[in-house]
Amino acid sequence: MPNNDVPDAAKKDFSLSRILSTQRFGSKPLETEVRAHADTPRKLNILVVEDERIVARDLQVRLTRLGYQISGIASSKDEAIQSAQENRPDLALMDIRLNGVPDGIDAARELRADFNLPVIYLTGHSDNATLSQARTTEPFGYILKPFENRELVAAIETAVYKHRAETRLREANTRLQLAQRAGQVGVFDWNGETGELYVTPELEEMRQAPIGSIVNIDDLWGAGADAAELAAIRTRFADWISSDRADESWEHRISVRQGPARWVQVRAHAYRNAEGRPLRIIGTEVDITGRKEMEDALLAKERELERSNADLQAYAYTIAHDLQEPVRTLVCGVELIERDLGGKLEASQQRLLFFVKNSADRLRSMIAGLLEYSRLSQEDEAVTHADCNEAILTVMQSLDALIGETGAKIDMVKLPQVAISEHRVAQLFQNLIGNALKFRRAGVVPHVKISAERSGAFWRFVVADNGMGFDMIYADRIFGVFKRLHAREVEGTGIGLSVCKRIVERAGGVIRAESTPGEGSRFLFTLPAVEKSTL
């Protein structure tokens, strides 16, 4: 459906008289406010500029009775300017002819320019030449003598209201321009019926274009960085115009007079008629060159980091692989010594041989773990489906001896299928359940609970135990390679949780841990769900 959010006023009369007739002063329409002020006028300071003393005196008396204050009475342009400088009035009542010449017009022009003072002309001259000359000073009212008090009050209150409204609008425009300049934001306004285009100076400055040189839509889009980009911009704009979409945004490069092409982001809104044709399009153009440069630099750093990590992982894999043979030789040598000389060694020698054998076994386990961790980073496994229930049954069979030794109890609800290989799922649960059994509390039967719930495109798993637990300050550290919190109490390599983290993250999930020392731990992780998978 077309967007018919053009205000009714946009289809009717945009004249100043109509706008002013519908404006509100406080909480009442302007006409009502003027009547209210006729009864209880505010204490405005008024400068009277009149060369006839009797008329000036009469004005002073009438204004005072109406509740206004007289800031000064002047009979010439110079006196008026001096009084305005000294007393700063709210408004000036100006006779057009001072001492026989239209000197009041020059006085009004200077008062408006130097003091931003609204002026109302009070005169008996209504010829076209005088009126035409007076209009050049942009007066806020024009009253022909003689006049009634009601006319005078209405003119004064309307002039002050209009002047204050103009001042607020001018200040708002100034703030907007400063914000646009600070934020490098340009604004454009295109009339879809006439083809006229308005752009702010900030947009032209961003383009390094001469002021007033961007006058139509072709000028606006004609600064593409190259012919291909220019064609793409025009095609995108034409497609949007012919659609029924209200909002559109895109990014493109523009050529500038000096320096390399710059990136800008365009956001625009179309006001459409009932047929969907755009009557008006207003939009902004923001210079995003700095952001694009940062994105490119970040992308380059990411690629460099990926290459560095790949090199490091390949190096670690190579080192671990090459270390297997000398460690295997060391272990075999120790075993041969133990077999051939075990009964002939003294107690101290046997103890030393025991330490060497244990260290060699641990080194072999660490190298095997490092190899497995490196393989996880290098392998690109095809996405398959794994049944978590079957994977955990396989894990429980491999841990059967430890489960029997500890009397552990493992509870799990029915678990889902996940989009990851069954080997990796089994490896993940093997480490988590194995840790729960290894890091058990003395005298407490291990109890492991496994559950899962759907969370969008993922399954959220929880593996909870009642073991030793740990301080939460180590919640991130435990997932590091070779990081162990209970190295003296429990054997291990410190790679198991690192492998878990790598498996989960390569599948697109996340893993974290929660724990309380002496009460147990909870490992929470997500794995991608198989489409339409349920429990």
Side-chain angles (χ1 to χ4, degrees), residues 240-286:
W240 177 40
I241 292 299
S242 62
S243 73
D244 60 358
R245 298 192 305 276
D247 297 296
E248 186 71 5
S249 65
W250 65 88
E251 298 175 358
H252 65 266
R253 292 183 305 151
I254 58 172
S255 60
V256 293
R257 290 175 176 269
Q258 297 180 349
R262 303 190 68 79
W263 278 94
V264 295
Q265 181 184 60
V266 177
R267 293 181 183 273
H269 181 85
Y271 296 89
R272 301 178 183 271
N273 61 12
E275 291 75 34
R277 185 167 57 85
L279 301 177
R280 186 177 184 182
I281 291 178
I282 297 178
T284 61
E285 189 172 279
V286 182

mmCIF file of all heavy atoms in Angstrom, residues 240-286:
data_model
loop_
_atom_site.group_PDB
_atom_site.id
_atom_site.type_symbol
_atom_site.label_atom_id
_atom_site.label_comp_id
_atom_site.label_asym_id
_atom_site.label_seq_id
_atom_site.Cartn_x
_atom_site.Cartn_y
_atom_site.Cartn_z
ATOM 1 N N TRP A 240 13.292 2.654 -6.047
ATOM 2 C CA TRP A 240 12.590 3.093 -4.832
ATOM 3 C C TRP A 240 11.393 3.974 -5.194
ATOM 4 O O TRP A 240 10.304 3.818 -4.653
ATOM 5 C CB TRP A 240 13.558 3.831 -3.917
ATOM 6 C CG TRP A 240 12.927 4.383 -2.680
ATOM 7 C CD1 TRP A 240 11.979 3.784 -1.898
ATOM 8 C CD2 TRP A 240 13.176 5.655 -2.085
ATOM 9 N NE1 TRP A 240 11.633 4.594 -0.835
ATOM 10 C CE2 TRP A 240 12.358 5.757 -0.929
ATOM 11 C CE3 TRP A 240 14.021 6.717 -2.396
ATOM 12 C CZ2 TRP A 240 12.365 6.873 -0.116
ATOM 13 C CZ3 TRP A 240 14.033 7.827 -1.569
ATOM 14 C CH2 TRP A 240 13.210 7.900 -0.442
ATOM 15 N N ILE A 241 11.596 4.924 -6.118
ATOM 16 C CA ILE A 241 10.519 5.831 -6.507
ATOM 17 C C ILE A 241 9.317 5.046 -7.044
ATOM 18 O O ILE A 241 8.165 5.378 -6.766
ATOM 19 C CB ILE A 241 11.019 6.831 -7.565
ATOM 20 C CG1 ILE A 241 12.035 7.797 -6.955
ATOM 21 C CG2 ILE A 241 9.859 7.611 -8.162
ATOM 22 C CD1 ILE A 241 11.490 8.639 -5.843
ATOM 23 N N SER A 242 9.586 4.007 -7.803
ATOM 24 C CA SER A 242 8.495 3.237 -8.408
ATOM 25 C C SER A 242 7.865 2.230 -7.447
ATOM 26 O O SER A 242 6.867 1.601 -7.778
ATOM 27 C CB SER A 242 9.012 2.504 -9.650
ATOM 28 O OG SER A 242 10.040 1.581 -9.292
ATOM 29 N N SER A 243 8.445 2.065 -6.262
ATOM 30 C CA SER A 243 7.896 1.129 -5.280
ATOM 31 C C SER A 243 6.902 1.855 -4.379
ATOM 32 O O SER A 243 6.579 3.020 -4.593
ATOM 33 C CB SER A 243 9.027 0.523 -4.442
ATOM 34 O OG SER A 243 9.541 1.480 -3.533
ATOM 35 N N ASP A 244 6.409 1.157 -3.353
ATOM 36 C CA ASP A 244 5.517 1.793 -2.383
ATOM 37 C C ASP A 244 6.190 1.958 -1.022
ATOM 38 O O ASP A 244 5.527 2.241 -0.028
ATOM 39 C CB ASP A 244 4.229 0.982 -2.226
ATOM 40 C CG ASP A 244 4.492 -0.435 -1.728
ATOM 41 O OD1 ASP A 244 5.676 -0.791 -1.554
ATOM 42 O OD2 ASP A 244 3.521 -1.183 -1.520
ATOM 43 N N ARG A 245 7.510 1.785 -0.980
ATOM 44 C CA ARG A 245 8.236 1.906 0.293
ATOM 45 C C ARG A 245 8.357 3.369 0.700
ATOM 46 O O ARG A 245 8.639 4.239 -0.132
ATOM 47 C CB ARG A 245 9.625 1.281 0.198
ATOM 48 C CG ARG A 245 9.614 -0.203 -0.093
ATOM 49 C CD ARG A 245 11.009 -0.814 0.128
ATOM 50 N NE ARG A 245 12.042 -0.135 -0.633
ATOM 51 C CZ ARG A 245 12.328 -0.390 -1.901
ATOM 52 N NH1 ARG A 245 11.635 -1.312 -2.564
ATOM 53 N NH2 ARG A 245 13.303 0.259 -2.516
ATOM 54 N N ALA A 246 8.194 3.613 2.000
ATOM 55 C CA ALA A 246 8.330 4.985 2.505
ATOM 56 C C ALA A 246 9.789 5.339 2.787
ATOM 57 O O ALA A 246 10.238 6.439 2.479
ATOM 58 C CB ALA A 246 7.498 5.158 3.769
ATOM 59 N N ASP A 247 10.519 4.398 3.371
ATOM 60 C CA ASP A 247 11.890 4.680 3.801
ATOM 61 C C ASP A 247 12.896 3.895 2.986
ATOM 62 O O ASP A 247 12.630 2.770 2.556
ATOM 63 C CB ASP A 247 12.064 4.341 5.291
ATOM 64 C CG ASP A 247 11.178 5.197 6.175
ATOM 65 O OD1 ASP A 247 11.382 6.418 6.194
ATOM 66 O OD2 ASP A 247 10.278 4.634 6.825
ATOM 67 N N GLU A 248 14.050 4.491 2.800
ATOM 68 C CA GLU A 248 15.119 3.833 2.056
ATOM 69 C C GLU A 248 16.454 4.349 2.581
ATOM 70 O O GLU A 248 16.577 5.503 3.023
ATOM 71 C CB GLU A 248 14.998 4.125 0.561
ATOM 72 C CG GLU A 248 15.975 3.377 -0.309
ATOM 73 C CD GLU A 248 15.658 1.882 -0.406
ATOM 74 O OE1 GLU A 248 14.625 1.445 0.125
ATOM 75 O OE2 GLU A 248 16.464 1.154 -1.010
ATOM 76 N N SER A 249 17.461 3.498 2.557
ATOM 77 C CA SER A 249 18.801 3.917 2.951
ATOM 78 C C SER A 249 19.813 3.098 2.166
ATOM 79 O O SER A 249 19.544 1.957 1.796
ATOM 80 C CB SER A 249 19.020 3.728 4.460
ATOM 81 O OG SER A 249 18.984 2.358 4.804
ATOM 82 N N TRP A 250 20.953 3.704 1.905
ATOM 83 C CA TRP A 250 22.023 3.008 1.212
ATOM 84 C C TRP A 250 23.330 3.759 1.437
ATOM 85 O O TRP A 250 23.342 4.881 1.946
ATOM 86 C CB TRP A 250 21.734 2.862 -0.286
ATOM 87 C CG TRP A 250 21.681 4.163 -1.049
ATOM 88 C CD1 TRP A 250 22.725 4.820 -1.633
ATOM 89 C CD2 TRP A 250 20.508 4.955 -1.315
ATOM 90 N NE1 TRP A 250 22.292 5.971 -2.240
ATOM 91 C CE2 TRP A 250 20.937 6.072 -2.065
ATOM 92 C CE3 TRP A 250 19.166 4.819 -0.999
ATOM 93 C CZ2 TRP A 250 20.051 7.053 -2.497
ATOM 94 C CZ3 TRP A 250 18.292 5.803 -1.432
ATOM 95 C CH2 TRP A 250 18.730 6.894 -2.167
ATOM 96 N N GLU A 251 24.416 3.128 1.065
ATOM 97 C CA GLU A 251 25.743 3.725 1.175
ATOM 98 C C GLU A 251 26.399 3.691 -0.196
ATOM 99 O O GLU A 251 26.246 2.722 -0.946
ATOM 100 C CB GLU A 251 26.606 2.939 2.181
ATOM 101 C CG GLU A 251 26.055 2.949 3.602
ATOM 102 C CD GLU A 251 26.863 2.070 4.544
ATOM 103 O OE1 GLU A 251 27.832 1.419 4.052
ATOM 104 O OE2 GLU A 251 26.538 2.005 5.738
ATOM 105 N N HIS A 252 27.099 4.767 -0.535
ATOM 106 C CA HIS A 252 27.821 4.789 -1.800
ATOM 107 C C HIS A 252 28.983 5.784 -1.710
ATOM 108 O O HIS A 252 29.059 6.602 -0.790
ATOM 109 C CB HIS A 252 26.898 5.147 -2.963
ATOM 110 C CG HIS A 252 26.345 6.542 -2.898
ATOM 111 N ND1 HIS A 252 25.124 6.827 -2.336
ATOM 112 C CD2 HIS A 252 26.837 7.737 -3.313
ATOM 113 C CE1 HIS A 252 24.892 8.119 -2.410
ATOM 114 N NE2 HIS A 252 25.911 8.703 -2.999
ATOM 115 N N ARG A 253 29.851 5.686 -2.672
ATOM 116 C CA ARG A 253 30.986 6.605 -2.732
ATOM 117 C C ARG A 253 30.657 7.788 -3.625
ATOM 118 O O ARG A 253 29.904 7.660 -4.593
ATOM 119 C CB ARG A 253 32.225 5.882 -3.260
ATOM 120 C CG ARG A 253 32.783 4.825 -2.321
ATOM 121 C CD ARG A 253 34.046 4.220 -2.897
ATOM 122 N NE ARG A 253 33.807 3.684 -4.244
ATOM 123 C CZ ARG A 253 34.737 3.605 -5.184
ATOM 124 N NH1 ARG A 253 35.957 4.046 -4.950
ATOM 125 N NH2 ARG A 253 34.448 3.086 -6.368
ATOM 126 N N ILE A 254 31.229 8.946 -3.308
ATOM 127 C CA ILE A 254 31.053 10.134 -4.133
ATOM 128 C C ILE A 254 32.432 10.708 -4.460
ATOM 129 O O ILE A 254 33.379 10.579 -3.690
ATOM 130 C CB ILE A 254 30.211 11.210 -3.415
ATOM 131 C CG1 ILE A 254 30.867 11.604 -2.078
ATOM 132 C CG2 ILE A 254 28.787 10.741 -3.198
ATOM 133 C CD1 ILE A 254 30.215 12.796 -1.406
ATOM 134 N N SER A 255 32.518 11.318 -5.627
ATOM 135 C CA SER A 255 33.766 11.982 -5.994
ATOM 136 C C SER A 255 33.757 13.400 -5.438
ATOM 137 O O SER A 255 32.706 14.031 -5.321
ATOM 138 C CB SER A 255 33.918 12.018 -7.520
ATOM 139 O OG SER A 255 32.837 12.736 -8.103
ATOM 140 N N VAL A 256 34.897 13.898 -5.068
ATOM 141 C CA VAL A 256 35.052 15.256 -4.556
ATOM 142 C C VAL A 256 36.152 15.947 -5.357
ATOM 143 O O VAL A 256 36.940 15.312 -6.055
ATOM 144 C CB VAL A 256 35.386 15.259 -3.047
ATOM 145 C CG1 VAL A 256 34.212 14.748 -2.233
ATOM 146 C CG2 VAL A 256 36.616 14.411 -2.762
ATOM 147 N N ARG A 257 36.188 17.279 -5.258
ATOM 148 C CA ARG A 257 37.143 18.042 -6.058
ATOM 149 C C ARG A 257 38.585 17.751 -5.655
ATOM 150 O O ARG A 257 39.480 17.698 -6.499
ATOM 151 C CB ARG A 257 36.860 19.547 -5.922
ATOM 152 C CG ARG A 257 35.573 19.974 -6.609
ATOM 153 C CD ARG A 257 35.288 21.443 -6.341
ATOM 154 N NE ARG A 257 34.104 21.883 -7.074
ATOM 155 C CZ ARG A 257 34.137 22.400 -8.300
ATOM 156 N NH1 ARG A 257 35.307 22.551 -8.909
ATOM 157 N NH2 ARG A 257 33.044 22.764 -8.908
ATOM 158 N N GLN A 258 38.799 17.589 -4.356
ATOM 159 C CA GLN A 258 40.154 17.348 -3.857
ATOM 160 C C GLN A 258 40.166 16.089 -3.001
ATOM 161 O O GLN A 258 39.275 15.880 -2.188
ATOM 162 C CB GLN A 258 40.661 18.543 -3.043
ATOM 163 C CG GLN A 258 40.781 19.822 -3.841
ATOM 164 C CD GLN A 258 41.280 20.979 -2.986
ATOM 165 O OE1 GLN A 258 41.348 20.865 -1.762
ATOM 166 N NE2 GLN A 258 41.639 22.076 -3.621
ATOM 167 N N GLY A 259 41.184 15.282 -3.200
ATOM 168 C CA GLY A 259 41.335 14.083 -2.390
ATOM 169 C C GLY A 259 40.594 12.898 -2.980
ATOM 170 O O GLY A 259 39.895 12.994 -4.003
ATOM 171 N N PRO A 260 40.735 11.743 -2.330
ATOM 172 C CA PRO A 260 40.090 10.518 -2.819
ATOM 173 C C PRO A 260 38.575 10.559 -2.620
ATOM 174 O O PRO A 260 38.049 11.401 -1.893
ATOM 175 C CB PRO A 260 40.731 9.425 -1.955
ATOM 176 C CG PRO A 260 41.120 10.128 -0.694
ATOM 177 C CD PRO A 260 41.519 11.514 -1.090
ATOM 178 N N ALA A 261 37.881 9.642 -3.289
ATOM 179 C CA ALA A 261 36.423 9.541 -3.140
ATOM 180 C C ALA A 261 36.068 9.282 -1.680
ATOM 181 O O ALA A 261 36.819 8.671 -0.929
ATOM 182 C CB ALA A 261 35.889 8.418 -4.030
ATOM 183 N N ARG A 262 34.887 9.766 -1.285
ATOM 184 C CA ARG A 262 34.441 9.622 0.092
ATOM 185 C C ARG A 262 33.158 8.790 0.135
ATOM 186 O O ARG A 262 32.394 8.755 -0.831
ATOM 187 C CB ARG A 262 34.212 10.994 0.745
ATOM 188 C CG ARG A 262 35.446 11.865 0.720
ATOM 189 C CD ARG A 262 35.281 13.110 1.578
ATOM 190 N NE ARG A 262 35.200 12.803 2.991
ATOM 191 C CZ ARG A 262 36.247 12.531 3.762
ATOM 192 N NH1 ARG A 262 37.470 12.522 3.254
ATOM 193 N NH2 ARG A 262 36.083 12.275 5.047
ATOM 194 N N TRP A 263 32.952 8.153 1.280
ATOM 195 C CA TRP A 263 31.759 7.335 1.492
ATOM 196 C C TRP A 263 30.682 8.166 2.188
ATOM 197 O O TRP A 263 30.976 8.919 3.125
ATOM 198 C CB TRP A 263 32.081 6.121 2.352
ATOM 199 C CG TRP A 263 32.683 4.976 1.616
ATOM 200 C CD1 TRP A 263 34.009 4.690 1.452
ATOM 201 C CD2 TRP A 263 31.975 3.946 0.925
ATOM 202 N NE1 TRP A 263 34.181 3.553 0.709
ATOM 203 C CE2 TRP A 263 32.939 3.055 0.371
ATOM 204 C CE3 TRP A 263 30.623 3.666 0.715
ATOM 205 C CZ2 TRP A 263 32.595 1.944 -0.357
ATOM 206 C CZ3 TRP A 263 30.274 2.541 -0.015
ATOM 207 C CH2 TRP A 263 31.254 1.695 -0.542
ATOM 208 N N VAL A 264 29.434 8.032 1.734
ATOM 209 C CA VAL A 264 28.312 8.690 2.409
ATOM 210 C C VAL A 264 27.207 7.665 2.620
ATOM 211 O O VAL A 264 27.091 6.686 1.872
ATOM 212 C CB VAL A 264 27.765 9.887 1.604
ATOM 213 C CG1 VAL A 264 28.797 10.991 1.499
ATOM 214 C CG2 VAL A 264 27.291 9.450 0.227
ATOM 215 N N GLN A 265 26.412 7.914 3.647
ATOM 216 C CA GLN A 265 25.225 7.099 3.917
ATOM 217 C C GLN A 265 23.995 7.973 3.705
ATOM 218 O O GLN A 265 23.901 9.071 4.257
ATOM 219 C CB GLN A 265 25.231 6.557 5.337
ATOM 220 C CG GLN A 265 24.020 5.686 5.662
ATOM 221 C CD GLN A 265 23.996 5.240 7.107
ATOM 222 O OE1 GLN A 265 23.960 6.070 8.024
ATOM 223 N NE2 GLN A 265 24.040 3.940 7.341
ATOM 224 N N VAL A 266 23.063 7.505 2.889
ATOM 225 C CA VAL A 266 21.840 8.245 2.582
ATOM 226 C C VAL A 266 20.670 7.574 3.297
ATOM 227 O O VAL A 266 20.504 6.352 3.223
ATOM 228 C CB VAL A 266 21.577 8.277 1.064
ATOM 229 C CG1 VAL A 266 20.258 8.995 0.763
ATOM 230 C CG2 VAL A 266 22.733 8.961 0.342
ATOM 231 N N ARG A 267 19.879 8.382 3.997
ATOM 232 C CA ARG A 267 18.617 7.916 4.590
ATOM 233 C C ARG A 267 17.530 8.882 4.132
ATOM 234 O O ARG A 267 17.688 10.098 4.298
ATOM 235 C CB ARG A 267 18.690 7.896 6.123
ATOM 236 C CG ARG A 267 19.665 6.876 6.691
ATOM 237 C CD ARG A 267 19.643 6.931 8.220
ATOM 238 N NE ARG A 267 20.598 6.031 8.811
ATOM 239 C CZ ARG A 267 20.366 4.758 9.094
ATOM 240 N NH1 ARG A 267 19.170 4.260 8.835
ATOM 241 N NH2 ARG A 267 21.287 3.995 9.630
ATOM 242 N N ALA A 268 16.454 8.367 3.585
ATOM 243 C CA ALA A 268 15.426 9.244 3.025
ATOM 244 C C ALA A 268 14.035 8.698 3.316
ATOM 245 O O ALA A 268 13.846 7.491 3.529
ATOM 246 C CB ALA A 268 15.633 9.397 1.515
ATOM 247 N N HIS A 269 13.067 9.622 3.303
ATOM 248 C CA HIS A 269 11.662 9.268 3.534
ATOM 249 C C HIS A 269 10.831 9.905 2.428
ATOM 250 O O HIS A 269 10.982 11.095 2.124
ATOM 251 C CB HIS A 269 11.184 9.765 4.894
ATOM 252 C CG HIS A 269 9.762 9.399 5.196
ATOM 253 N ND1 HIS A 269 9.403 8.182 5.738
ATOM 254 C CD2 HIS A 269 8.606 10.071 5.012
ATOM 255 C CE1 HIS A 269 8.094 8.134 5.895
ATOM 256 N NE2 HIS A 269 7.586 9.272 5.459
ATOM 257 N N ALA A 270 9.939 9.120 1.835
ATOM 258 C CA ALA A 270 9.081 9.601 0.749
ATOM 259 C C ALA A 270 7.657 9.814 1.263
ATOM 260 O O ALA A 270 7.085 8.928 1.900
ATOM 261 C CB ALA A 270 9.078 8.598 -0.401
ATOM 262 N N TYR A 271 7.114 10.999 0.974
ATOM 263 C CA TYR A 271 5.710 11.294 1.258
ATOM 264 C C TYR A 271 4.939 11.065 -0.041
ATOM 265 O O TYR A 271 5.152 11.774 -1.030
ATOM 266 C CB TYR A 271 5.549 12.729 1.741
ATOM 267 C CG TYR A 271 6.236 12.990 3.056
ATOM 268 C CD1 TYR A 271 7.567 13.401 3.093
ATOM 269 C CD2 TYR A 271 5.563 12.815 4.266
ATOM 270 C CE1 TYR A 271 8.211 13.624 4.295
ATOM 271 C CE2 TYR A 271 6.195 13.040 5.475
ATOM 272 C CZ TYR A 271 7.517 13.449 5.482
ATOM 273 O OH TYR A 271 8.152 13.671 6.680
ATOM 274 N N ARG A 272 4.050 10.082 -0.047
ATOM 275 C CA ARG A 272 3.372 9.676 -1.276
ATOM 276 C C ARG A 272 1.890 10.057 -1.244
ATOM 277 O O ARG A 272 1.288 10.151 -0.168
ATOM 278 C CB ARG A 272 3.517 8.163 -1.485
ATOM 279 C CG ARG A 272 4.974 7.703 -1.587
ATOM 280 C CD ARG A 272 5.054 6.190 -1.732
ATOM 281 N NE ARG A 272 6.440 5.736 -1.751
ATOM 282 C CZ ARG A 272 7.187 5.632 -2.843
ATOM 283 N NH1 ARG A 272 6.657 5.953 -4.018
ATOM 284 N NH2 ARG A 272 8.430 5.201 -2.780
ATOM 285 N N ASN A 273 1.322 10.233 -2.445
ATOM 286 C CA ASN A 273 -0.108 10.497 -2.527
ATOM 287 C C ASN A 273 -0.880 9.178 -2.536
ATOM 288 O O ASN A 273 -0.298 8.102 -2.362
ATOM 289 C CB ASN A 273 -0.437 11.344 -3.761
ATOM 290 C CG ASN A 273 -0.047 10.633 -5.065
ATOM 291 O OD1 ASN A 273 0.257 9.443 -5.068
ATOM 292 N ND2 ASN A 273 -0.053 11.376 -6.160
ATOM 293 N N ALA A 274 -2.181 9.259 -2.741
ATOM 294 C CA ALA A 274 -3.020 8.060 -2.677
ATOM 295 C C ALA A 274 -2.633 7.036 -3.730
ATOM 296 O O ALA A 274 -2.820 5.828 -3.540
ATOM 297 C CB ALA A 274 -4.491 8.450 -2.839
ATOM 298 N N GLU A 275 -2.074 7.500 -4.846
ATOM 299 C CA GLU A 275 -1.657 6.578 -5.907
ATOM 300 C C GLU A 275 -0.259 6.015 -5.675
ATOM 301 O O GLU A 275 0.216 5.190 -6.465
ATOM 302 C CB GLU A 275 -1.704 7.273 -7.276
ATOM 303 C CG GLU A 275 -3.111 7.597 -7.771
ATOM 304 C CD GLU A 275 -3.699 8.787 -7.042
ATOM 305 O OE1 GLU A 275 -2.929 9.707 -6.693
ATOM 306 O OE2 GLU A 275 -4.926 8.794 -6.786
ATOM 307 N N GLY A 276 0.402 6.459 -4.636
ATOM 308 C CA GLY A 276 1.744 5.967 -4.334
ATOM 309 C C GLY A 276 2.858 6.776 -4.964
ATOM 310 O O GLY A 276 4.039 6.442 -4.792
ATOM 311 N N ARG A 277 2.504 7.841 -5.678
ATOM 312 C CA ARG A 277 3.530 8.658 -6.313
ATOM 313 C C ARG A 277 4.151 9.583 -5.272
ATOM 314 O O ARG A 277 3.435 10.233 -4.500
ATOM 315 C CB ARG A 277 2.917 9.474 -7.453
ATOM 316 C CG ARG A 277 3.928 10.278 -8.265
ATOM 317 C CD ARG A 277 3.272 10.784 -9.544
ATOM 318 N NE ARG A 277 2.094 11.573 -9.261
ATOM 319 C CZ ARG A 277 2.122 12.882 -8.982
ATOM 320 N NH1 ARG A 277 3.269 13.523 -8.930
ATOM 321 N NH2 ARG A 277 0.993 13.530 -8.753
ATOM 322 N N PRO A 278 5.484 9.682 -5.215
ATOM 323 C CA PRO A 278 6.114 10.545 -4.208
ATOM 324 C C PRO A 278 5.891 12.032 -4.500
ATOM 325 O O PRO A 278 6.222 12.512 -5.584
ATOM 326 C CB PRO A 278 7.598 10.173 -4.304
ATOM 327 C CG PRO A 278 7.776 9.649 -5.681
ATOM 328 C CD PRO A 278 6.484 8.978 -6.038
ATOM 329 N N LEU A 279 5.296 12.717 -3.541
ATOM 330 C CA LEU A 279 5.121 14.165 -3.653
ATOM 331 C C LEU A 279 6.352 14.909 -3.162
ATOM 332 O O LEU A 279 6.669 15.996 -3.658
ATOM 333 C CB LEU A 279 3.907 14.615 -2.842
ATOM 334 C CG LEU A 279 2.559 13.989 -3.225
ATOM 335 C CD1 LEU A 279 1.482 14.485 -2.274
ATOM 336 C CD2 LEU A 279 2.218 14.331 -4.674
ATOM 337 N N ARG A 280 7.028 14.283 -2.213
ATOM 338 C CA ARG A 280 8.171 14.961 -1.593
ATOM 339 C C ARG A 280 9.082 13.907 -0.975
ATOM 340 O O ARG A 280 8.610 12.915 -0.435
ATOM 341 C CB ARG A 280 7.676 15.925 -0.515
ATOM 342 C CG ARG A 280 8.726 16.811 0.116
ATOM 343 C CD ARG A 280 8.055 17.757 1.094
ATOM 344 N NE ARG A 280 8.984 18.704 1.674
ATOM 345 C CZ ARG A 280 8.659 19.618 2.591
ATOM 346 N NH1 ARG A 280 7.396 19.681 3.009
ATOM 347 N NH2 ARG A 280 9.555 20.442 3.071
ATOM 348 N N ILE A 281 10.375 14.129 -1.090
ATOM 349 C CA ILE A 281 11.353 13.232 -0.471
ATOM 350 C C ILE A 281 12.334 14.080 0.331
ATOM 351 O O ILE A 281 12.937 15.015 -0.205
ATOM 352 C CB ILE A 281 12.109 12.405 -1.521
ATOM 353 C CG1 ILE A 281 11.167 11.396 -2.180
ATOM 354 C CG2 ILE A 281 13.283 11.675 -0.888
ATOM 355 C CD1 ILE A 281 11.817 10.563 -3.266
ATOM 356 N N ILE A 282 12.445 13.752 1.592
ATOM 357 C CA ILE A 282 13.386 14.452 2.472
ATOM 358 C C ILE A 282 14.384 13.427 2.997
ATOM 359 O O ILE A 282 14.002 12.327 3.411
ATOM 360 C CB ILE A 282 12.663 15.138 3.646
ATOM 361 C CG1 ILE A 282 11.701 16.208 3.109
ATOM 362 C CG2 ILE A 282 13.659 15.761 4.606
ATOM 363 C CD1 ILE A 282 10.912 16.913 4.185
ATOM 364 N N GLY A 283 15.650 13.776 2.971
ATOM 365 C CA GLY A 283 16.655 12.818 3.414
ATOM 366 C C GLY A 283 17.906 13.476 3.949
ATOM 367 O O GLY A 283 18.061 14.704 3.892
ATOM 368 N N THR A 284 18.767 12.651 4.481
ATOM 369 C CA THR A 284 20.051 13.117 5.012
ATOM 370 C C THR A 284 21.176 12.364 4.328
ATOM 371 O O THR A 284 20.999 11.241 3.860
ATOM 372 C CB THR A 284 20.144 12.895 6.528
ATOM 373 O OG1 THR A 284 20.025 11.490 6.806
ATOM 374 C CG2 THR A 284 19.071 13.657 7.269
ATOM 375 N N GLU A 285 22.316 13.004 4.291
ATOM 376 C CA GLU A 285 23.521 12.383 3.748
ATOM 377 C C GLU A 285 24.635 12.601 4.763
ATOM 378 O O GLU A 285 24.952 13.737 5.117
ATOM 379 C CB GLU A 285 23.877 13.017 2.406
ATOM 380 C CG GLU A 285 24.985 12.293 1.663
ATOM 381 C CD GLU A 285 25.180 12.834 0.257
ATOM 382 O OE1 GLU A 285 24.400 12.437 -0.632
ATOM 383 O OE2 GLU A 285 26.095 13.649 0.054
ATOM 384 N N VAL A 286 25.199 11.514 5.256
ATOM 385 C CA VAL A 286 26.209 11.577 6.310
ATOM 386 C C VAL A 286 27.535 11.048 5.769
ATOM 387 O O VAL A 286 27.575 10.002 5.108
ATOM 388 C CB VAL A 286 25.780 10.731 7.541
ATOM 389 C CG1 VAL A 286 26.822 10.831 8.652
ATOM 390 C CG2 VAL A 286 24.423 11.181 8.035
#
